[in-house]
Structures are given as structure tokens and as C-alpha cells.
Amino acid sequence: MHQETDSIITGVVDERKGRLLVDISEDVTSTHVSELRRGLMEILETAGSSSWKALYLDIRNARMVDSMGMNWLFAESVRLKEMNKTFVIRISSPAIHRVMQFAGLDKLVTLKYRRRRQTR
């Protein structure tokens, strides 16, 4: 899959498990949403839709998700549902996990929350 090396969003299909694995290296905020939207569209076009059943969005590197970021995640959940795909979001921040639950995103997607070990 062709991705620029300085992109904040990358993706690869794990055909063995039927997953599209997408990794975001920055916060999911208004500053990045247009790049994230564009990047995910390119990843979806490149991957096609026949080789995967679930999109795993890894935002464990994010320290923050703002209202624009949440809006984008809700919109993507609707689009993936229309494609008959499962949407799984991997989170490591307790604050982001609480915000997503409070907003009700956990009713539309699967949240995989695992707190990262402290390295300090």
C-alpha cells in the first residue's frame, strides 16, 4: 500500500484475520481531521472492500480527541456501517476512553481500551 512516510495515518490489510489495520500517530483534533479524513479515504480506496471485514483504528498514540475529532469518528462509524464493516477503535488514554463513552460512541463501535504501562 502506498503511503507517504510523513503521513500521520497509515494502513495495511491483515488478510489472514480479515482486518484493515489503520494507525494514527497524532492527536485526533481539528488540526488533523482533514488530513485524517483524506488519508483514511485513500487507505479505503487502496485496500478495496473485499479482503477485510473490520477496520481497526489504532489511536493509542493520541493524547487528545476534540469535538471535531469525535465528529469525524462518528461519521466514519456511519460510513463503515453502510459498508457492512465492523469498526474497532484501540485506545490507551483513560480520558479519551471516558469522552468516547460519554459521547455514546461505544454504542456504535467497539472500543478496545488498554492502559499503557508507565515508562517513567
Side-chain angles (χ1 to χ4, degrees):
M1 194 174 294
H2 174 67
Q3 286 293 325
E4 294 175 21
T5 54
D6 61 345
S7 179
I8 64 170
I9 183 169
T10 56
V12 63
V13 175
D14 178 354
E15 289 186 30
R16 192 173 58 81
K17 292 187 176 181
R19 299 178 187 173
L20 176 57
L21 305 170
V22 176
D23 185 58
I24 294 176
S25 62
E26 290 287 337
D27 294 337
V28 184
T29 60
S30 57
T31 309
H32 300 115
V33 165
S34 63
E35 185 179 350
L36 293 171
R37 183 180 295 120
R38 227 179 3 262
L40 186 57
M41 291 292 284
E42 289 173 13
I43 290 167
L44 291 174
E45 285 175 19
T46 303
S49 63
S50 60
S51 60
W52 57 278
K53 293 180 175 69
L55 183 138
Y56 277 67
L57 184 67
D58 189 336
I59 63 168
R60 290 178 289 185
N61 289 321
R63 296 163 303 176
M64 184 176 159
V65 176
D66 69 6
S67 60
M68 291 276 295
M70 286 297 291
N71 209 6
W72 173 66
L73 292 170
F74 271 102
E76 292 304 331
S77 75
V78 169
R79 182 153 54 116
L80 288 163
K81 186 176 178 88
E82 289 171 353
M83 295 171 64
N84 292 320
K85 304 291 184 183
T86 304
F87 191 14
V88 178
I89 302 175
R90 292 178 170 158
I91 310 160
S92 63
S93 162
I96 291 174
H97 187 239
R98 281 192 302 273
V99 165
M100 289 183 173
Q101 287 180 312
F102 182 75
L105 189 59
D106 60 327
K107 310 269 187 297
L108 303 173
V109 307
T110 301
L111 299 179
K112 296 267 185 183
Y113 169 63
R114 180 180 285 155
R115 208 174 167 153
R116 288 215 168 155
R117 288 192 181 112
Q118 295 297 324
T119 56
R120 292 179 228 178

